[in-house]
Amino acid sequence: MLRLVSKYTSKETTEKKNFMWNMVGSTIFSAASMLLSLIVIRIMGADEGGIFAIAITVAQMLAFIEYYETRTFQVTDVKDLFTFGQYKAVKIILLIVSVLVAIVYSMLKGQGAWHKFMVIFLMCIYRYIDGYADLYEGTFQKDGRLDLTGKSQAYRTILSVGVLLISIIVTHNLIFAITISIIFAVLGVLLFDTLPMKAFRNTRHDWNLQAFISIIKSCFPLFLGTFLWSYILSASRIAVDANMASSFSSYFQALFMPVSIINLCATFILKPALTKLSQEYEKLSTDLAFIKSILVITGVIGVFTVICMAGAYLLGIPVLEIMTGTSLIKYKGVLVFLMLAGGINSLSYFGYYILTIMRKTGWIFSGYIMAAIVAKLASDYFVKISGINGAAMGFFVSVETLLIIFVIGIFKDIIKIRP
């Protein structure tokens, strides 16, 4: 086993391999989340699919507690202020807290139904494993081995999702299938994260209280922003689950899943451009390159959004109907509208990066807090009066609010530097 691990980690890497494997891993990971609900709806039907859909939504939102954005802080810890063992200790505590939160939240969402409670709780555990693996994958990235990060994401996802789908097809039992997939997800972390990491460093945890408090305090602003962003993306689906039958959660989940395609592609554009944008911002007082880059990237996201809207109009509903086995033709307009909202969400995501470069955290948190409040109020209101159409409108209003606040913050800073 150790010989295989050594061979797995010793292969030389290049920037091209790092980029390609990171893209492959990210794509497989994101595609699995996008397609999983659609396939389960197809196999299990609208009612069970609806329960699974809200379980994924809740799990993705609560998983941010386990992620806690420690990876962003860890990767940029170039001075090695904290050790791997100290980051690991933080992750273990966060995992315990996350499980406790999942129990309480699953009981509330389950509304007394044991089956729904268990599906939601088990999906939370399943996603928490990804959050724990993020510790190792962030360390691979910091060590210049982004290829190992991408491989881990790809192999772990294929292993656990494959087992989940096979178990559902064979047993038609969601609780059993998710339980088995959790076991294989843990095995995936052991094979593709824990053992390979031992070739790089000591992987023992380090219970240092002062380091724990420092990491928690340093990462809290990043966590708060991403958690609120997760809620903004989830609020409309949560409102559908709270106010409509489970079958409608299936329909809306199917319609909502393609939205992530725009954000995934935007990520491929944005992350490689961050260093260049940071350098251009430093020269903003004498050079317009920063503004030009913002306009170019905005234009690319805008064009891609229009293409996705056209694709949704022409092919979206037939493809989703084939994948889910349900009739969605009456929601054709909703799908196209959601793609537009997805484009606006990607632009707000871009705005988050720009404001981070500008170090305008006040605008970031103000935007997320305001948009989260709008998401809650608008989603509940519009779903009650217009059902799934209202859910789409609630999502649109919330991401539009976030984008407007971010644009104002960016514009004010640019005007200040270039009067």
Side-chain angles (χ1 to χ4, degrees), residues 129-255:
I129 296 170
D130 290 324
Y132 181 77
D134 197 56
L135 163 72
Y136 292 88
E137 290 160 13
T139 306
F140 288 142
Q141 180 180 351
K142 184 179 178 182
D143 290 343
R145 295 302 303 268
L146 203 54
D147 60 318
L148 295 180
T149 296
K151 288 177 181 180
S152 173
Q153 281 190 313
Y155 297 155
R156 287 190 303 101
T157 301
I158 292 172
L159 177 63
S160 61
V161 171
V163 169
L164 176 60
L165 292 178
I166 291 172
S167 300
I168 289 175
I169 292 171
V170 173
T171 68
H172 276 67
N173 186 315
L174 275 179
I175 293 177
F176 175 81
I178 300 171
T179 301
I180 294 299
S181 69
I182 288 173
I183 295 172
F184 277 85
V186 173
L187 178 62
V189 173
L190 176 65
L191 291 176
F192 305 116
D193 290 308
T194 304
L195 291 178
M197 182 58 65
K198 289 183 178 181
F200 289 86
R201 61 181 70 236
N202 185 344
T203 60
R204 291 176 59 85
H205 48 69
D206 180 4
W207 299 106
N208 184 305
L209 181 60
Q210 185 176 356
F212 174 85
I213 294 173
S214 295
I215 293 172
I216 290 294
K217 287 176 62 177
S218 298
C219 295
F220 180 73
L222 301 174
F223 157 72
L224 182 60
T226 53
F227 184 79
L228 290 174
W229 181 61
S230 174
Y231 175 75
I232 292 166
L233 297 182
S234 305
S236 56
R237 286 173 282 177
I238 292 173
V240 170
D241 177 69
N243 295 283
M244 305 178 74
S246 293
S247 58
F248 288 99
S249 288
S250 291
Y251 304 149
F252 190 65
Q253 182 78 352
L255 296 167

Side-chain angles (χ1 to χ4, degrees), residues 396-416:
F396 175 84
V397 171
S398 59
V399 294
E400 181 70 18
T401 300
L402 184 61
L403 178 61
I404 289 172
I405 294 173
F406 281 0
V407 168
I408 293 173
I410 293 168
F411 185 75
K412 287 190 67 174
D413 189 77
I414 290 176
I415 291 298
K416 182 179 178 180

Side-chain angles (χ1 to χ4, degrees), residues 278 280-288 290-291 354 357-360 409-419:
S278 299
E280 291 175 347
Y281 178 68
E282 293 298 319
K283 303 174 183 178
L284 181 57
S285 59
T286 58
D287 193 340
L288 292 176
F290 181 69
I291 297 174
I354 295 299
I357 290 171
M358 294 175 167
R359 298 295 188 261
K360 300 297 179 182
I410 293 168
F411 185 75
K412 287 190 67 174
D413 189 77
I414 290 176
I415 291 298
K416 182 179 178 180
I417 296 175
R418 293 188 61 88

Side-chain angles (χ1 to χ4, degrees), residues 273-335:
L274 287 181
T275 302
K276 179 173 175 287
L277 285 168
S278 299
Q279 293 169 347
E280 291 175 347
Y281 178 68
E282 293 298 319
K283 303 174 183 178
L284 181 57
S285 59
T286 58
D287 193 340
L288 292 176
F290 181 69
I291 297 174
K292 292 178 181 177
S293 294
I294 290 178
L295 295 176
V296 169
I297 294 175
T298 299
V300 171
I301 294 174
V303 170
F304 188 74
T305 300
V306 172
I307 293 172
C308 288
M309 291 174 66
Y313 180 81
L314 296 173
L315 300 172
I317 293 299
V319 171
L320 291 176
E321 286 182 338
I322 292 172
M323 297 185 69
T324 62
T326 57
S327 177
L328 300 169
I329 186 63
K330 64 180 179 180
Y331 300 121
K332 184 175 184 178
V334 174
L335 177 61

Side-chain angles (χ1 to χ4, degrees), residues 54-64 120 123-125 127-128:
I54 194 60
I56 283 185
T57 299
V58 171
Q60 289 176 334
M61 182 177 68
L62 295 186
F64 277 91
I120 294 174
M123 279 307 300
C124 286
I125 301 301
R127 287 293 285 119
Y128 291 165

